[in-house]
Amino acid sequence: MRGPYRAADGGETVSFSFDGVPLKARPGDTLAAALLANGIGLVGRSFKYHRPRGIMAAGVEEPNALVTVGEGGRAEPNTRATDLFVYDGLVATSQNHWLSLSHDAGAVIGLASRALPAGFYYKTFFGPAKRWLRYEVPIRRAAGLGKAPAERDPDGFAQRAGFCDVLVVGAGPAGLKAALDAAEGGARVMLVEQDAVLGASLIRDPEAGRDPAWIEAAAARIRALGGRILTRTTASGYWDHNFVTLAERLVEPGAIPPHGIAQRLWHVRAGKVILATGALERPIPFSDNDRPGVMLSQAVRTYVRRFGVVPGRRVVIATNNDDAYRTADALAEAGADVVAILDARPAGSGPASPYPTHFDARPAGVSGTRHHLKRVTALVGGREQGWEADLLAVSGGFVPVVHLHMQAGGKLDWNEAAQAFVPGPIAQACVTVGGAADPPPAPPVTPAGAPKKSFVDFQNDVTLADVDLAWQEGYRSVEHLKRYTTLGMATDQGKTSNIVALSRLAEKQGVAVPDAGVTTFRPPYTPVTMGVLAGTAAKSAGAHVRRLPLHDAHARHKPVWQPTGHWFRPRAYPLEGETTTAAAMREAKAVRQHVGLTDVSTLAKFEVSGPDAAALLELVCATAVATLKTGRGRYTFMLREDGMVFDDGTVWRIADDRYLLTSSTGGADRMATHLSYVRNTLRPEMRVSVVNVQEHHAAVALAGPRAKAIVETLTGGEPPRHMSAARATLAGVPVLVLAASYSGERAFEIYAEATAALPVWSALAAAVAAAGGGPYGLDAMDLLRIEKGHVLVGGEVDGRTTPDDMGLRTMLNKAGGYIGAAGLQRPALSETGRLQLVGLEALDGAILEGAMLIAAEGETPHGHVTAAGRRVADEGSIALALLRDGRARHGETLIASSPMRGASTRVRVAAPHFYDAAGERYRG
Amino acid sequence: MYLIPCPHCGPRAQAEFTYERTTDSVVDPAGPVGTAMGTLFTRANPMGMDDEIWRHTYGCRAWLVLTRDRLTHAIAAVRTIGPEALP
Ligand SMILES: [Zn+2]
């Protein structure tokens, strides 16, 4: 066993646990620092091969050390141990292992990694389906990063808008300086830093910049000038017109927020953005370079100087630049033994070094246990040499963090000396400063060792061999390489891997790296929780609830509620012990035999008035409107410009220059926008007013043989005849009575002002109950309309059907001139082979909604069932369907097959009117 | 997210607006059939300035024409359309 890797000072005060083992940390530690201090080398397993992985970096770019932090609904998977500050009681667990972290059955896959090469998913899933069935269980068990919590997140999330003249991203020396200058110049400044402290790089490299005391002084000055400084805040997305989203952590992942709010998303509109995002160190590819104990050089220096943790006692440093020599100094100051510096550059490069330094030297391999490194080998001038070491610090140069620059639409320039992309031209008011703009020189390093185990993307287990294989198999563009190998995907988005892989691709292509291309960086820069994107809407999943004006009246009957759009409507009103299906049938039977009432308040309703009201409606409706006499109504439907049915409803001429147009509940908002578009952009010259009155009126439909008598009694007058409108007073409330039938029975829709509708409902409900009926819900309405062959928007009207397909051609306005008239003339719409509305009667069993219509098992479908139900009269199974050339096929026998539900029924094709085809009942 | 300068309301976030279509895709219901289908299905897709119809749905509800650069998303001009915009 190894002792702690931290200089003892007795100051450890924070308790946390990793995989159930209680451990101690110092305040200010990241989880990674605390684990290293406790001598823990093995932190997780890799995504694909389940290879043992340790900690590689000291920031958000960490690809390996992903843990799940917190418990229950607060559990947050894939949290980088390097971007998580330890708090008292923190519970962290390792991921991607199957059995245990130390003994992973899935690692066998790693031994047989030949079975999972690049493009594995493509090859498997394009192969025979049976192969997937064989692989599914082990793949599902082994694959995936972490596990999503099953419980609801108990925490709250907030969103806030921010405005500033200058937004500075990154509070290193360059960012702090830029923010200070802007604030002193009188600008409103926001400075955001993803780390918990400002100027962390000055702690890592005190000799490189200013006195650490300068940090606090600069911050205090910015605040005094009215600037806002946010730490633990990541600029996650840079959008158009200098709009930047910031994800602010108010508590660390998994912690209980004291004020209930865990994170806040800032929507910032900035006058100017200054990106001081720094640079990330890149690794060097060589065999087994993913083993615990191989770390990035600057990360090692950060652990030593900032956290007082020395990740190794005997250290080899491999580099191609000067920066890594500072890591040697930091380690030596902390008492570690720097046994070798391997500099890939020729002799004479690099600063003067007191350590055993080798030039033209590249690491070639490492060995050790699952937990710790033991030995490092290298090619020095082409000759292999080895050292006993427990830490290998590598530096392959630096990659500027250009993510936000690119998200903002900026281009990249290639910096040959640094072998890195740097910010180029940008159209937005944005500049990049500091290390992100000017990385230090670092020449290319030719990889040594077997490409098969030389990892370039640690998080996705992509090796040099995978890049080679993608090339060999013809996936040669950078975008194809990404998709084929999964390079640069998942939580780190290729932060450490992109350039190494691109270099290999460029080498294969025989071109310079910039000519090989680069993938686009898209938001977010680091993962953002779903909760903070939803904000305060997280609890309701973003949906609002619209309640019927008569909601409370329905609630007294304890209905089964059905969400339709944002509305909650009664689906059925079951009696004690009754199923929903039985209730719907009882309610429908009451309508057929006596009378029933139902709430249709959610229908879209528009009042169109003015001298040009009829002309506007003639444009919108595909049926004739102008010929409608005052006091009369008509079924109507509207077309899209391409001729497809868009919505249907009724249109009523309620006064000479005033119409009421109704359409479907689900299409209400769409229809409102459509009417507004027509009125404002197509016919601005018309003298017409279109008012959306959907929520002004409550509407109750009363249907059944006794409906007429009830209206007569309650209004004290002769009810309007079918498709006529009349004003009346019902229960002391002024109402509009429309005689229209969706159920097929004599029926009325009674409109009242929404706030005054309760007495109307109550009076009607009492009369209906006395006549042997009751309220009916959506399910009963569906049974009634299927039997009657009435189409439903979203069912038969599915955006692909024309009036002719629906059997409505004779209703089209002969005069033309309506929207969609031109589109209807397309030849393909009058060809044979179109799906047409038909009815189906089951010859055995019950027809299932969505079933395919086939002539024989295994054959190509001729159509599909759009709605299925039971006949209200004898409960036989019937359905509406869209069938190829259906109108010519009445009497034919087909199979309604639903293989996923293991059911098939023989059906007879019929006209879609199963009940009172002559229409005698509703005219009554 | 764009910052759209509504002539009525001033600069407002894109989230308040709804995109409708480009002005060259407005079908004239009184026009000939061939033209209507051409307008609907074969249109230019310029990499640069284009005129687009938007609606300030969660603001003044006016219909607007934005002259917008499809490459840089710069908005060069905004005007209202509809009855209130008539002379
Ligand atoms: Zn406006």
Side-chain angles (χ1 to χ4, degrees):
Chain A
M1 282 297 288
R2 288 161 174 276
Y5 282 65
R6 170 123 74 185
D9 68 350
E12 295 171 8
T13 54
V14 181
S15 300
F16 73 103
S17 74
F18 178 67
D19 279 348
V21 179
L23 297 164
K24 295 278 185 194
R26 279 190 203 164
D29 273 356
T30 59
L31 175 62
L35 291 173
L36 286 169
N38 282 283
I40 292 170
L42 174 64
V43 173
R45 291 281 181 167
S46 76
F47 167 63
K48 196 156 106 177
Y49 302 140
H50 288 213
R51 287 173 67 95
R53 291 286 171 79
I55 290 155
M56 180 171 145
V60 299
E61 70 274 25
E62 172 66 43
N64 290 337
L66 304 182
V67 297
T68 297
V69 56
E71 294 167 298
R74 280 197 184 89
E76 205 165 307
N78 302 326
T79 305
R80 293 154 305 284
T82 51
D83 183 34
L84 168 64
F85 291 89
V86 175
Y87 51 88
D88 220 31
L90 177 142
V91 177
T93 46
S94 57
Q95 298 184 165
N96 297 344
H97 49 74
W98 168 22
L99 297 180
S100 80
L101 181 58
S102 275
H103 302 282
D104 181 291
V108 176
I109 296 171
L111 296 176
S113 61
R114 186 183 289 274
L116 285 167
F120 160 77
Y121 292 94
Y122 291 75
K123 289 165 186 165
T124 304
F125 303 145
F126 278 116
K130 277 185 189 151
R131 211 192 294 173
W132 166 236
L133 295 177
R134 181 147 36 95
Y135 284 143
E136 181 179 355
V137 171
I139 288 176
R140 284 206 192 282
R141 192 180 287 144
L145 285 172
K147 278 201 185 81
E151 291 163 48
R152 178 183 275 268
D153 193 327
D155 297 333
F157 297 90
Q159 294 188 348
R160 184 165 174 180
F163 302 90
C164 59
D165 299 315
V166 178
L167 171 68
V168 182
V169 180
L176 267 169
K177 174 75 166 54
L180 183 58
D181 289 351
E184 289 187 327
R188 289 178 303 168
V189 172
M190 277 183 87
L191 172 63
V192 299
E193 170 55 52
Q194 63 194 2
D195 205 330
V197 299
L198 303 174
S201 66
L202 289 177
I203 303 169
R204 184 189 67 212
D205 292 325
E207 76 284 7
R210 299 156 201 271
D211 176 358
W214 173 80
I215 302 168
E216 269 321 303
R221 177 85 179 128
I222 293 165
R223 288 196 184 97
L225 290 166
R228 189 194 292 276
I229 299 176
L230 301 171
T231 55
R232 287 311 266 151
T233 303
T234 307
S236 57
Y238 193 143
W239 315 83
D240 302 300
H241 301 180
N242 265 8
F243 182 75
V244 182
T245 42
L246 313 174
E248 180 186 12
R249 287 201 179 115
L250 302 176
V251 292
E252 290 300 314
I256 299 167
H259 304 295
I261 306 293
Q263 295 187 31
R264 180 184 289 135
L265 188 75
W266 288 77
H267 294 185
V268 177
R269 189 77 67 173
K272 180 184 178 185
V273 177
I274 297 175
L275 299 175
T277 43
L280 302 175
E281 199 161 29
R282 33 173 201 246
I284 296 176
F286 59 88
S287 280
D288 297 317
N289 62 336
D290 62 330
R291 184 173 280 288
V294 180
M295 297 177 68
L296 293 171
S297 157
Q298 261 193 4
V300 169
R301 200 154 83 240
T302 299
Y303 288 113
V304 173
R305 293 243 173 90
R306 176 171 171 186
F307 299 107
V309 176
V310 187
R313 297 267 163 71
R314 283 178 58 83
V315 188
V316 174
I317 292 172
T319 185
N320 63 346
N321 61 73
D322 290 358
D323 185 82
Y325 286 77
R326 293 200 260 172
T327 302
D329 291 339
L331 284 162
E333 283 161 21
D337 190 4
V338 179
V339 297
I341 293 183
L342 310 173
D343 196 322
R345 296 172 294 180
S349 308
S353 159
Y355 317 101
T357 304
H358 309 268
F359 292 97
D360 186 20
R362 289 166 291 147
V366 287
S367 58
T369 68
R370 272 195 297 273
H371 299 265
H372 294 284
L373 198 68
K374 288 208 159 134
R375 188 172 170 78
V376 176
T377 56
L379 289 178
V380 180
R383 214 164 45 81
E384 190 167 302
Q385 246 178 281
W387 298 267
E388 298 299 314
D390 59 355
L391 175 67
L392 172 59
V394 299
S395 178
F398 295 88
V399 190
V401 176
V402 295
H403 298 64
L404 295 174
H405 170 86
M406 211 176 183
Q407 287 176 20
K411 302 257 182 288
L412 299 181
D413 288 336
W414 177 249
N415 180 322
E416 183 64 29
Q419 289 288 299
F421 287 104
V422 293
I426 187 167
Q428 300 207 37
C430 172
V431 292
T432 301
V433 299
D438 189 21
V445 184
T446 315
K452 190 164 164 46
K453 287 181 172 176
S454 298
F455 286 84
V456 292
D457 184 331
F458 294 70
Q459 190 165 84
N460 296 297
D461 272 344
V462 180
T463 64
L464 287 176
D466 291 323
V467 177
D468 295 353
L469 184 66
W471 165 262
Q472 187 188 319
E473 298 196 343
Y475 292 85
R476 297 184 174 190
S477 89
V478 62
E479 298 291 348
H480 289 163
L481 173 71
K482 175 172 176 170
R483 269 76 196 175
Y484 201 62
T485 61
T486 69
L487 175 89
M489 295 188 180
T491 73
D492 85 334
Q493 290 287 300
K495 289 184 178 64
T496 55
S497 64
N498 265 358
I499 291 291
V500 180
L502 282 179
S503 304
R504 185 74 167 196
L505 185 69
E507 190 190 319
K508 287 271 165 197
Q509 290 186 355
V511 299
V513 177
D515 298 324
V518 62
T519 56
T520 305
F521 295 115
R522 294 194 180 84
Y525 172 63
T526 55
V528 174
T529 60
M530 297 302 282
V532 79
L533 294 178
T536 49
K539 295 275 179 283
S540 60
H544 56 274
V545 174
R546 295 171 84 178
R547 286 181 156 210
L548 299 163
L550 295 165
H551 181 93
D552 295 343
H554 298 298
R556 276 195 285 278
H557 295 277
K558 297 193 171 59
V560 177
W561 293 100
Q562 167 83 46
T564 43
H566 291 300
W567 295 95
F568 272 72
R569 299 179 69 183
R571 184 176 162 197
Y573 302 82
L575 303 174
E576 189 78 31
E578 195 179 31
T579 64
T580 308
T581 313
M585 183 53 78
R586 172 180 52 74
E587 293 164 11
K589 281 187 166 150
V591 172
R592 288 271 184 262
Q593 291 161 9
H594 314 291
V595 65
L597 83 166
T598 191
D599 193 331
V600 292
S601 302
T602 59
L603 289 177
K605 309 175 199 76
F606 303 93
E607 249 184 60
V608 184
S609 58
D612 292 327
L616 185 90
L617 286 169
E618 288 264 292
L619 190 62
V620 170
C621 299
T623 60
V625 177
T627 54
L628 202 59
K629 293 190 171 58
T630 301
R632 297 284 288 165
R634 187 172 287 167
Y635 172 75
T636 190
F637 47 91
M638 303 77 172
L639 305 186
R640 301 193 314 220
E641 287 165 323
D642 63 1
M644 299 298 149
V645 185
F646 172 59
D647 208 331
D648 73 345
T650 52
V651 59
W652 304 85
R653 191 166 190 175
I654 51 177
D656 285 351
D657 62 352
R658 183 178 292 261
Y659 291 80
L660 178 71
L661 175 72
T662 72
S663 60
S664 73
T665 297
D669 297 344
R670 192 180 54 181
M671 183 58 70
T673 306
H674 179 66
L675 288 171
S676 176
Y677 168 77
V678 171
R679 199 266 168 281
N680 286 275
T681 72
L682 295 185
R683 291 291 179 266
E685 73 286 358
M686 277 187 171
R687 292 164 301 160
V688 60
S689 147
V690 181
V691 181
N692 184 347
V693 293
Q694 180 184 30
E695 290 168 39
H696 295 219
H697 304 306
V700 180
L702 183 73
R706 300 187 191 169
K708 187 182 171 192
I710 289 174
V711 173
E712 194 163 13
T713 308
L714 291 181
T715 61
E718 175 73 11
R721 62 194 175 95
H722 185 60
M723 296 318 281
S724 295
R727 297 205 177 271
T729 302
L730 200 158
V733 178
V735 293
L736 179 66
V737 182
L738 308 174
S741 175
Y742 192 53
S743 58
E745 302 299 331
R746 185 80 168 103
F748 301 89
E749 283 175 14
I750 295 151
Y751 284 55
E753 197 179 306
T755 52
L758 186 57
V760 175
W761 172 269
S762 302
L764 286 167
V768 164
Y776 64 99
L778 289 168
D779 279 12
M781 204 189 290
D782 213 34
L783 292 172
L784 295 165
R785 73 100 186 170
I786 292 171
E787 201 171 36
K788 192 63 196 151
H790 285 156
V791 297
L792 183 76
V793 175
E796 296 71 35
V797 176
D798 65 359
R800 297 173 295 179
T801 45
T802 66
D804 188 50
D805 299 337
M806 297 285 94
L808 300 170
R809 190 159 57 135
T810 53
M811 291 189 66
L812 286 169
N813 189 347
K814 307 277 183 300
Y818 51 87
I819 291 169
L824 273 184
Q825 295 180 39
R826 288 180 292 159
L829 301 189
S830 51
E831 281 170 5
T832 55
R834 289 198 59 80
L835 295 172
Q836 295 173 332
L837 181 69
V838 295
L840 302 175
E841 291 169 305
L843 299 175
D844 50 52
I847 308 168
L848 290 179
E849 211 157 272
M852 290 292 144
L853 294 173
I854 52 176
E857 292 296 342
E859 281 199 357
T860 311
H862 299 207
H864 60 274
V865 176
T866 54
R870 315 289 297 182
R871 272 186 209 271
V872 180
D874 59 14
E875 306 211 358
S877 172
I878 53 169
L880 297 177
L882 289 168
L883 176 66
R884 217 160 286 289
D885 298 319
R887 274 200 296 277
R889 298 171 68 174
H890 292 179
E892 201 173 306
T893 300
L894 291 168
I895 302 166
S897 170
S898 188
M900 294 301 283
R901 287 170 288 183
S904 75
T905 312
R906 287 193 320 123
V907 296
R908 186 188 297 122
V909 180
H913 313 290
F914 300 98
Y915 180 78
D916 184 32
E920 284 156 356
R921 294 185 69 90
Y922 59 78
R923 287 196 186 89
Chain B
M1 183 156 46
Y2 309 152
L3 189 65
I4 297 177
C6 175
H8 298 142
C9 311
R12 290 289 188 274
Q14 184 189 347
E16 295 183 9
F17 297 79
T18 314
Y19 171 86
E20 176 66 26
R21 55 171 76 195
T22 54
T23 52
D24 70 347
S25 64
V26 174
V27 177
D28 177 5
V33 176
T35 312
M37 291 304 101
T39 306
L40 207 52
F41 295 117
T42 51
R43 295 196 306 274
N45 186 14
M47 192 168 78
M49 284 294 173
D50 206 1
D51 286 340
E52 300 170 335
I53 299 177
W54 290 67
R55 185 180 189 225
H56 196 181
T57 312
Y58 302 103
C60 63
R61 297 197 173 196
W63 289 83
L64 310 170
V65 174
L66 262 65
T67 305
R68 191 176 72 88
D69 191 311
R70 294 209 194 172
L71 197 62
T72 66
H73 307 310
I75 296 167
V78 183
R79 63 181 173 87
T80 51
I81 48 173
E84 73 277 18
L86 289 172

